[in-house]
């Protein structure tokens, strides 16, 4: 898979290193000569150019990329790169870094963003996930379809504890994708039972989140 990363700072280089280890072809783009550090990520391609300029993106052959990651420290730049990647070059997947949480509402399909990653929001979500039982925690937002990756740790008193996955009437536009049980990561089947303490990961429409939380947190009758 060919991936172009706009922004060759610490974040961009770190992403590039991870993706290279996984066997992907990486192009790093930055307009600052001081950011071009080929020796830090020697297996990547490097391009000294302004990723907000069409001529630069032509040179980068963005139309050949499967994914574009807008990873600069400037939200305005990330939005422009995302919009150009999607509308001018038809890149299938555009991921954008959100630096200021106040700008998160802009990072959506209208600006060509498929997935917006806000580091402050993600860190706070991970803290909530670690300490919350019975509360739905939003981990990641997907722009297309207005869906989110959400997590809930099933409480001891939940009426669904001991229930098989296939017997639960899940809300519409909701999919249980993973059950984390201790050190195990389970791909849920219809016959799997839900257990108290399970970390349940869903992809769910935002409009269904409250309904999902109510379903999972409802208490057993005593």
């Amino acid at each position: 898979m060919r991936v172009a990363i706009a922004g060759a700072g610490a974040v961009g280089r770190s992403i590039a290193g991870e993706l290279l280890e996984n066997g992907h072809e990486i192009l790093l783009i930055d307009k600052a000569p001081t950011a071009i550090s080929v020796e830090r990520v020697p297996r990547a391609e490097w391009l000294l150019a302004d990723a907000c300029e069409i001529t630069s993106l032509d040179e980068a052959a963005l139309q050949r990329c499967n994914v574009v990651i807008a990873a600069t420290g400037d939200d305005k730049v990330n939005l422009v790169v995302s919009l150009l990647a999607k509308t001018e070059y038809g890149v299938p997947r555009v991921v954008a870094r959100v630096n200021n949480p106040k700008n998160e509402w802009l990072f959506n399909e209208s600006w060509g963003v498929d997935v917006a990653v806000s580091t402050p929001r993600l860190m706070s979500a991970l803290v909530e996930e670690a300490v919350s039982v019975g509360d739905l925690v939003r981990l990641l937002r997907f722009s297309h379809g207005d869906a989110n990756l959400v997590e809930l740790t099933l409480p001891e008193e939940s009426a669904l504890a001991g229930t098989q996955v296939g017997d639960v009437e899940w809300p519409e536009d909701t999919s249980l994708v993973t059950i984390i049980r201790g050190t195990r990561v389970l791909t849920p089947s219809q016959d799997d039972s839900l257990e108290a303490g399970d970390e349940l990961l869903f992809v769910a429409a935002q409009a269904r989140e409250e309904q999902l939380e109510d379903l999972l947190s409802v208490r057993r009758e005593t």
Side-chain angles (χ1 to χ4, degrees):
M1 182 170 68
R2 181 172 172 81
V3 181
I5 302 173
V11 173
R13 293 195 305 270
S14 178
I15 296 169
E18 291 286 339
L19 292 175
L20 284 165
E21 287 298 319
N22 291 328
H24 301 296
E25 179 185 348
I26 304 300
L27 170 64
L28 280 160
I29 308 170
D30 206 296
K31 67 177 182 180
T34 54
I36 306 300
S37 304
V38 178
E39 69 282 357
R40 294 191 179 185
V41 194
R43 289 189 290 151
E45 298 176 48
W46 290 78
L47 178 62
L48 176 61
D50 186 345
C52 291
E53 298 287 343
I54 288 289
T55 52
S56 300
L57 300 182
D58 285 342
E59 185 178 355
L62 222 65
Q63 70 279 1
R64 294 198 296 111
C65 292
N66 306 100
V67 179
V68 164
I69 301 173
T72 79
D74 188 324
D75 285 344
K76 297 187 294 296
V77 171
N78 291 342
L79 285 170
V80 171
V81 170
S82 298
L83 185 62
L84 291 175
K86 184 66 70 174
T87 60
E88 298 295 327
Y89 298 92
V91 176
R93 191 74 164 167
V94 177
V95 180
R97 172 188 177 188
V98 184
N99 297 279
N100 186 340
K102 293 181 179 179
N103 296 331
E104 191 173 2
W105 66 278
L106 289 166
F107 286 73
N108 55 36
E109 187 176 2
S110 299
W111 280 93
V113 178
D114 295 307
V115 179
V117 180
S118 170
T119 302
R121 181 176 294 279
L122 182 57
M123 291 179 68
S124 65
L126 291 173
V127 170
E128 289 183 51
E129 184 270 336
V131 300
S132 299
V133 175
D135 294 325
L136 201 71
V137 178
R138 187 180 301 166
L139 299 177
L140 191 64
R141 179 174 63 83
F142 303 101
S143 296
H144 287 309
D146 194 28
N148 299 309
L149 177 66
V150 298
E151 182 271 352
L152 184 141
T153 299
L154 198 66
E156 290 279 351
E157 66 275 11
S158 173
L160 293 187
T163 304
Q164 289 187 325
V165 172
D167 292 336
V168 180
E169 293 187 17
W170 301 108
E172 293 183 7
D173 304 320
T174 299
S175 177
L176 174 63
V177 293
T178 303
I179 300 172
I180 301 175
R181 182 173 296 157
T183 59
R184 300 174 63 198
V185 179
L186 309 175
T187 301
S189 70
Q190 297 296 300
D191 297 328
D192 283 326
S193 294
L194 301 173
E195 297 182 6
D198 283 351
E199 292 185 51
L200 308 177
L201 271 68
F202 296 86
V203 174
Q206 186 168 330
R208 302 296 183 183
E209 289 180 5
E210 184 175 351
Q211 185 179 353
L212 180 61
E213 183 173 27
D214 290 343
L215 173 67
L216 294 166
S217 299
V218 66
R219 294 177 178 270
R220 294 190 182 96
E221 293 183 5
T222 57

